[in-house]
Amino acid sequence: VLLPSYAAWFRFEQIHAIEKRAMAEWFKGDGVSKNSKTYVECRDLIINLYRENPRRYLTATDCRRHLAVDVCTVIRLHGFLEHWGLINYQINTADKPVMVGPSDTSGHPILLAMPDGSLVPKEEALRSNSYNAAAPPPAASLPNVRLVGRANVFASATPE
């Protein structure tokens, strides 16, 4: 397994000052589950998971399945190890997952809902003048209803 030259500081048997500075929540000493011993166990487990199959991209989700710490901590630790090239170094870019954003819809027509319930492409509706954006929709006829407000909702609505 290759390590980048900028990660020459890393040693399995020790915790470097870079790790202590970047992952400070593990070394505050105020948590039972986050201490230097559990940090080394989690760090080494993630690195060893990657080294089992270095051609496959190791995701934070894969790491989470093997660790009994909170998700945010796993994501931060995974990101730290990946940043320094201790995991997922020299992964083929085709194998690396990409962030999925909104899909491009520029090739799809904009459809307008017509009063009869049909969907018509916007350009066609504007050309045929069958769509008038300024015209208000027809108002539904409402029965003449008298609404009575009461100060006390528990009081009777009819006078006694």
Side-chain angles (χ1 to χ4, degrees):
V1 175
L2 293 174
L3 285 180
S5 60
Y6 53 83
W9 55 265
F10 176 74
R11 299 283 181 272
F12 263 111
E13 59 277 354
Q14 66 185 25
I15 300 171
H16 195 272
I18 293 172
E19 293 174 283
K20 288 182 181 179
R21 203 169 34 250
M23 306 300 292
E25 74 257 24
W26 291 88
F27 307 105
K28 289 179 184 175
D30 57 352
V32 176
S33 64
K34 288 185 181 177
N35 54 50
S36 59
K37 182 177 184 263
T38 57
Y39 171 77
V40 170
E41 289 172 358
C42 291
R43 178 199 68 185
D44 292 352
L45 180 99
I46 291 174
I47 292 171
N48 288 327
L49 281 172
Y50 167 68
R51 289 182 174 190
E52 286 177 7
N53 188 359
R55 294 180 191 266
R56 182 178 159 271
Y57 183 83
L58 180 67
T59 65
T61 303
D62 294 333
C63 299
R64 177 66 183 102
R65 291 181 180 133
H66 296 279
L67 296 171
V69 293
D70 65 282
V71 174
C72 293
T73 299
V74 173
I75 291 171
R76 282 192 300 274
L77 182 55
H78 178 273
F80 172 78
L81 296 174
E82 188 171 48
H83 171 78
W84 284 102
L86 300 172
I87 62 171
N88 298 331
Y89 183 64
Q90 291 187 329
I91 293 288
N92 185 358
T93 54
D95 297 334
K96 189 172 182 176
V98 294
M99 295 294 288
V100 177
S103 59
D104 178 27
T105 59
S106 61
H108 301 284
I110 297 173
L111 300 175
L112 299 179
M114 303 307 288
D116 64 355
S118 64
L119 295 175
V120 179
K122 178 182 176 183
E123 293 78 19
E124 182 182 321
L126 294 176
R127 267 195 318 269
S128 67
N129 222 1
S130 61
Y131 178 77
N132 186 355
S141 59
L142 295 175
N144 190 4
V145 177
R146 183 173 167 244
L147 300 176
V148 178
R150 294 177 282 165
N152 182 353
V153 295
F154 299 105
S156 173
T158 58
E160 296 176 10

